[in-house]
């Protein structure tokens, strides 16, 4: 009987240890999964709100600029809590920005970065301006060059500017 106990003791100890270890790991995975879901949902809300703020900035024409700046700052504070290090770098850069003419392009870059963080899909931030600004073609090259410098400076994914199709030019060529 003593020999049986000597053989069985390590098996029982191993089974008990494995059960405890599995329980702890499962709890950590479950907690991590819940945290990831919260972060994902929060980032989705931030992107939608940033897009709405940009559209409001475009349509308000300085009527509610203080309100829009307050809303933008609130979203940037949330990015500090939930965003990736790359998104936080962009927010930091926006906050230090002296020349406000590029604010729309930078917020579009921030939206593109968060989209990339959520989906691993890259979209050129210039597309936001092309879609929403009727006279953007005049400023496209200037903003594109500026964004290239910012992306390099902040060490962001260089693929953000890889696809630089100007859809306006493509449409015009197809119409001819």
């Amino acid at each position: 009987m003593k020999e049986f106990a000597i053989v069985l003791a390590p098996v029982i100890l191993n089974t008990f240890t494995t059960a405890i270890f599995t329980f702890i790991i499962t709890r950590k995975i479950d907690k991590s999964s819940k945290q990831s879901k919260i972060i994902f949902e929060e980032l989705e809300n931030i992107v939608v709100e940033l897009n709405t703020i940009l559209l409001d900035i475009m349509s308000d024409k300085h009527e509610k600029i203080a309100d829009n700046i307050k809303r933008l700052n609130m979203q940037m504070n949330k990015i500090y809590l939930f965003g990736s290090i790359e998104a936080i770098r962009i927010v930091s850069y926006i906050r230090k920005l002296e020349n406000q003419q590029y604010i729309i392009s930078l917020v579009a870059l921030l939206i593109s970065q968060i989209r990339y963080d959520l989906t691993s899909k890259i979209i050129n931030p210039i597309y936001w301006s092309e879609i929403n600004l009727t006279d953007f073609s005049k400023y496209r090259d200037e903003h594109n060059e500026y964004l290239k410098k910012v992306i390099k400076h902040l060490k962001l994914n260089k693929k953000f500017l890889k696809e630089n199709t100007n859809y306006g030019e493509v449409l015009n060529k197809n119409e001819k």
Side-chain angles (χ1 to χ4, degrees):
M1 186 70 158
K2 186 177 176 183
E3 295 160 353
F4 181 70
I6 292 173
V7 171
L8 193 57
V11 172
I12 292 173
L13 182 61
N14 188 23
T15 303
F16 184 69
T17 305
T18 302
I20 291 174
F21 183 72
T22 303
F23 175 76
I24 292 170
I25 294 297
T26 304
R27 298 250 322 162
K28 283 188 178 189
I29 289 172
D30 187 45
K31 183 178 177 184
S32 176
S33 173
K34 286 178 185 176
Q35 289 171 340
S36 294
K37 184 177 179 189
I38 290 168
I39 290 169
F40 188 88
E41 288 172 357
E42 198 60 43
L43 287 173
E44 281 181 323
N45 294 336
I46 289 169
V47 169
V48 169
E49 182 62 17
L50 286 172
N51 191 59
T52 303
I53 291 167
L54 283 183
L55 292 172
D56 288 350
I57 287 171
M58 309 280 298
S59 65
D60 288 342
K61 298 187 172 61
H62 305 292
E63 294 170 11
K64 299 177 184 174
I65 198 121
D67 183 44
N68 288 327
I69 290 171
K70 183 179 176 182
R71 289 170 52 211
L72 183 59
N73 282 326
M74 190 167 72
Q75 296 309 310
M76 289 194 294
N77 288 336
K78 286 182 182 180
I79 290 168
Y80 180 74
L81 296 172
F82 299 105
S84 67
I85 189 66
E86 293 83 2
I88 293 168
R89 280 191 213 132
I90 297 168
V91 167
S92 177
Y93 192 86
I94 291 171
R95 294 228 167 143
K96 295 175 190 171
L97 189 65
E98 292 178 16
N99 188 345
Q100 297 297 315
Q101 82 183 65
Y102 297 111
I103 190 75
I104 290 174
S105 292
L106 288 172
V107 175
L109 175 61
L110 181 58
I111 291 169
S112 293
Q113 178 63 52
I114 295 171
R115 181 180 190 268
Y116 176 70
D117 295 340
L118 292 173
T119 66
S120 300
K121 304 281 187 223
I122 292 179
I123 188 163
N124 187 325
I126 289 292
Y127 294 160
W128 191 95
S129 299
E130 283 185 348
I131 292 167
N132 294 292
L133 300 173
T134 55
D135 62 344
F136 183 70
S137 60
K138 294 185 247 179
Y139 311 104
R140 185 182 197 287
D141 292 337
E142 178 185 344
H143 281 256
N144 201 34
E145 287 305 312
Y146 179 76
L147 283 174
K148 282 180 184 177
K149 290 176 188 172
V150 170
I151 288 168
K152 185 177 181 180
H153 176 73
L154 297 178
K155 298 177 179 140
L156 302 175
N157 192 328
K158 290 173 183 39
K159 292 181 182 177
F160 278 120
L161 295 174
K162 188 173 183 182
E163 288 185 38
N164 277 329
T165 304
N166 184 339
Y167 288 119
E169 290 175 10
V170 172
L171 291 174
N172 290 337
K173 286 178 186 175
N174 289 338
E175 290 173 359
K176 291 179 182 178

